[in-house]
Amino acid sequence: MDGGRTPTPPPVLILLGPPGAGKGTQARMLEQQYGMVQLSTGDLLRAAVVAGTRAGRRARAVMEAGDLVSDEIVIAILRDRLAHADCSKGVILDGFPRTTAQAEALDVLLHASGQRINAAISLEVADTAMVKRISGRFTCGGCGEGYHDTFKPTAKPDVCDKCGSTEMKRRADDNAETVAQRLSAYHAQTASLIDYYEDAGALTRIDAMGAIDQIASDVSAVVSAAVAADTTA
């Protein structure tokens, strides 16, 4: 008997970082290590629309009208998704929240189920080094595995290490000018969000300019500490 001890709620992590910082790579590694599920806003919206949920139908109507989906609808879709069984070991939020208003709404949602943001991890990069990093990245067209010409090349040229596909894709907008614009937009948009989680004591900054495995080790240490803190609370 556990004396009626309340089960530890599934952890919720947020990955922050500009385009090219490696959020997707780190999220996939956390999924494999902890059994968590990565949730991105775009994927959530598309899945809800296809499934025809109440929130998904609302989102579809808004998108078909050419408008932006409101925070209220996104939160409703996220609420539905967090109730799925595969989220029982925790989730990694990628791309949400983007503003302090969204962060506040997310806190309310999580509080209702006894959850909270266990860790907000900011992957810190040097803007001047991002051009080389982003311009060299590509993905497998078969399974979506990410690679980089310098930092994570395939073992065999143009052959995916994971699924063996030879179909590789590169984004047309991965060039110096667009990268600079995206970095500027990211900093302008998320500066207050970084402050929000720092003030809440949930933020950890990690140097994301090193080797992928070292970054993964640093991220894992933060996640393990955050999960352990909830378990022993």
Side-chain angles (χ1 to χ4, degrees), residues 4 13 18 30-31 39 47 58 65 69 81 91 103 116 121 130 151 195 197-198 201 203 218 225:
L13 312 176
L30 288 173
E31 284 183 311
L39 301 179
R58 292 174 63 197
V69 178
R81 185 64 181 86
V91 298
R116 64 184 181 87
I121 301 172
M130 291 307 294
F151 305 113
D195 291 341
Y197 286 116
E198 193 157 44
L203 184 75
D218 294 341

Side-chain angles (χ1 to χ4, degrees), residues 142-182:
C143 67
E145 183 70 8
Y147 294 100
H148 191 281
D149 292 329
T150 302
F151 305 113
K152 188 186 176 184
T154 54
K156 294 181 179 179
D158 299 321
V159 178
C160 179
D161 298 345
K162 188 173 182 180
C163 73
S165 173
T166 56
E167 180 187 359
M168 300 297 167
K169 297 182 178 180
R170 295 177 187 266
R171 287 177 49 158
D173 61 349
D174 281 349
N175 57 72
E177 183 177 356
T178 54
V179 168
Q181 293 173 348
R182 283 153 57 192

Side-chain angles (χ1 to χ4, degrees), residues 14-102:
I14 294 176
L15 284 181
L16 301 167
K23 297 188 298 297
T25 297
Q26 295 304 322
R28 284 190 291 274
M29 296 176 82
L30 288 173
E31 284 183 311
Q32 295 171 2
Q33 184 175 0
Y34 295 95
M36 296 178 176
V37 176
Q38 178 187 9
L39 301 179
S40 68
T41 309
D43 290 344
L44 287 175
L45 286 171
R46 285 187 288 271
V49 168
V50 171
T53 65
R54 181 179 178 183
R57 292 194 299 272
R58 292 174 63 197
R60 181 174 183 174
V62 171
M63 290 188 289
E64 288 181 344
D67 296 324
L68 294 176
V69 178
S70 68
D71 292 350
E72 177 195 357
I73 294 176
V74 174
I75 285 291
I77 290 174
L78 181 58
R79 179 186 299 111
D80 292 343
R81 185 64 181 86
L82 289 174
H84 290 197
D86 64 343
C87 294
S88 63
K89 292 185 178 180
V91 298
I92 307 155
L93 299 181
D94 180 6
F96 188 87
R98 292 182 182 272
T99 65
T100 53
Q102 291 176 348

